[in-house]
Amino acid sequence: MTARIIDGKVVAEQMRAELKNRITDLKSKGVVPGLAVVLVGDDPASRSYVTAKGKACEEIGLYSDNRCLPEKTSQKDLIDLVEELNRDPRIHGILVQLPLPRHIEEAPVVLAIDPDKDVDGFHPVNVGKMVIGQKCFLPCTPHGIVQLLLRSGVNLEGAEVVVVGRSTIVGKPIANMLIQKSPMGNATVTVCHTRTRHLADHVRRADIVIAAAGRPNTITADMVKEGAVVIDVGVNRVEDATRTRGYRLVGDVDFETVKEKASLITPVPGGVGPMTITMLMYNTVQSAMRAAGMET
Ligand code: GUN
């Protein structure tokens, strides 16, 4: 079997078109949804994410406020800025780009964000609500994966899902979302990680494999059941002298061989990636609708 490719750019474009309609509706009521993105330091990968977020907001009609702070910014100054953004009525969503410089602790910064503006879904209040199945901001990459699956016609009900990776940003939340008693869940989920014995045996049972290990070639064709759905969340740089920048991006899945066995597969780049920013804008629009007293 040769897999159908799930084109994340197409699904993201569909969702962005839906969001534009909601933004038009909000603007007619005098509300412009606003997203603040805070970057500390000048890590090139983080800087390019932040630029991409600003551009996507502009394209769709969101107000975007990028705050770039020097590397040496203190934890107190960063928290003061977050608190200022919490009070700013033009801002409906706040994202502090991670990772932060080493001298700043992540937990107190995330805790300072108003949970009603936490469009990353990282605040413990939102994490807790997600786990107990209450309405909340869902973290963007896992929510984007669920939207990709549902919009590609994948049936989650009772499906055997194997998640490879237990990160706070992807592995843990996607596993939680997929076990919820909801149309976005109802799956049977196994979470594998660096201490898992017999990884291949787990993956071979999966109807849906979600690879979020952060290591190239973690999933190879011999590990995948014929007809499985394979979602690749990995973004890894590997040296490539044929490229002018000296590297190329690959996922966690050996795409060329796995695509011959899977029924559906996401590429890297162009799979999960485009969904993450889309879900961030989705959360910002939801937040603005809630602030305007509209049904969400
Ligand atoms: N760094 C990499 N991905 C993310 C994300 O989704 N949110 C934030 N805040 N930082 C990140």
Side-chain angles (χ1 to χ4, degrees):
M1 176 181 282
T2 300
R4 181 158 65 87
I5 310 285
I6 300 179
D7 188 336
K9 284 175 288 191
V10 170
V11 182
E13 209 40 63
Q14 272 170 13
M15 291 204 74
R16 288 180 195 199
E18 292 163 19
L19 282 178
K20 269 187 190 165
N21 291 335
R22 290 195 202 172
I23 294 168
T24 307
D25 206 23
L26 275 164
K27 284 184 175 168
S28 72
K29 295 179 169 65
V31 179
V32 182
L35 172 69
V37 176
V38 182
L39 172 67
V40 186
D42 40 31
D43 173 65
S46 291
R47 192 166 279 275
S48 68
Y49 283 139
V50 170
T51 308
K53 283 168 191 160
K55 216 172 117 214
C57 285
E58 217 170 89
E59 272 167 22
I60 203 177
L62 292 181
Y63 166 62
S64 114
D65 183 357
N66 281 358
R67 303 290 187 103
C68 297
L69 307 178
E71 174 85 21
K72 61 176 195 321
T73 301
S74 70
Q75 184 167 312
K76 180 179 181 304
D77 285 352
L78 176 58
I79 289 177
D80 285 349
L81 172 61
V82 167
E83 286 170 352
E84 178 196 319
L85 295 167
N86 284 343
R87 289 187 298 268
D88 188 337
R90 292 168 304 178
I91 298 300
H92 304 95
I94 302 168
L95 177 147
V96 177
Q97 185 67 32
L98 303 176
L100 289 164
R102 287 245 281 277
H103 66 278
I104 301 179
E105 270 181 278
E106 197 174 293
V109 175
V110 173
L111 212 54
I113 300 171
D114 179 346
D116 288 338
K117 295 191 177 188
D118 168 40
V119 285
D120 254 332
F122 291 172
H123 191 289
V125 164
N126 286 315
V127 176
K129 284 184 173 179
M130 175 191 67
V131 171
I132 61 177
Q134 285 185 10
K135 197 166 183 169
C136 61
F137 291 120
L138 294 173
C140 301
T141 300
H143 191 194
I145 293 168
V146 174
Q147 289 297 328
L148 271 185
L149 289 168
L150 294 177
R151 287 166 187 256
S152 305
V154 176
N155 185 16
L156 296 174
E157 182 95 19
E160 292 281 344
V161 178
V162 171
V163 177
V164 184
R166 55 176 159 184
S167 69
T168 306
I169 294 186
V170 183
K172 283 184 197 137
I174 189 73
N176 256 296
M177 286 163 68
L178 291 173
I179 58 168
Q180 295 296 324
K181 199 170 194 170
S182 109
M184 288 172 69
N186 288 331
T188 302
V189 180
T190 303
V191 181
C192 297
H193 46 76
T194 43
R195 302 295 173 94
T196 294
R197 290 187 219 129
H198 315 302
L199 173 68
D201 291 344
H202 290 287
V203 176
R204 243 177 246 125
R205 285 203 326 270
D207 302 313
I208 303 170
V209 181
I210 300 177
R215 196 188 57 163
N217 288 319
T218 302
I219 307 297
T220 49
D222 59 301
M223 299 164 75
V224 174
K225 182 167 79 176
E226 190 74 34
V229 175
V230 178
I231 304 292
D232 193 350
V233 195
V235 184
N236 307 295
R237 284 182 181 194
V238 295
E239 270 186 41
D240 186 343
T242 68
R243 306 285 172 104
T244 44
R245 57 187 178 181
Y247 68 87
R248 69 192 147 89
L249 293 180
V250 300
D252 291 352
V253 174
D254 179 18
F255 182 81
E256 288 307 320
T257 60
V258 172
K259 83 174 193 314
E260 299 306 324
K261 241 174 144 183
S263 59
L264 275 171
I265 189 166
T266 61
V268 176
V272 174
M275 293 301 290
T276 299
I277 294 181
T278 305
M279 302 322 295
L280 178 69
M281 297 193 294
Y282 174 91
N283 281 348
T284 306
V285 171
Q286 292 286 108
S287 179
M289 287 171 69
R290 191 161 63 186
M294 289 160 70
E295 214 35 64
T296 59

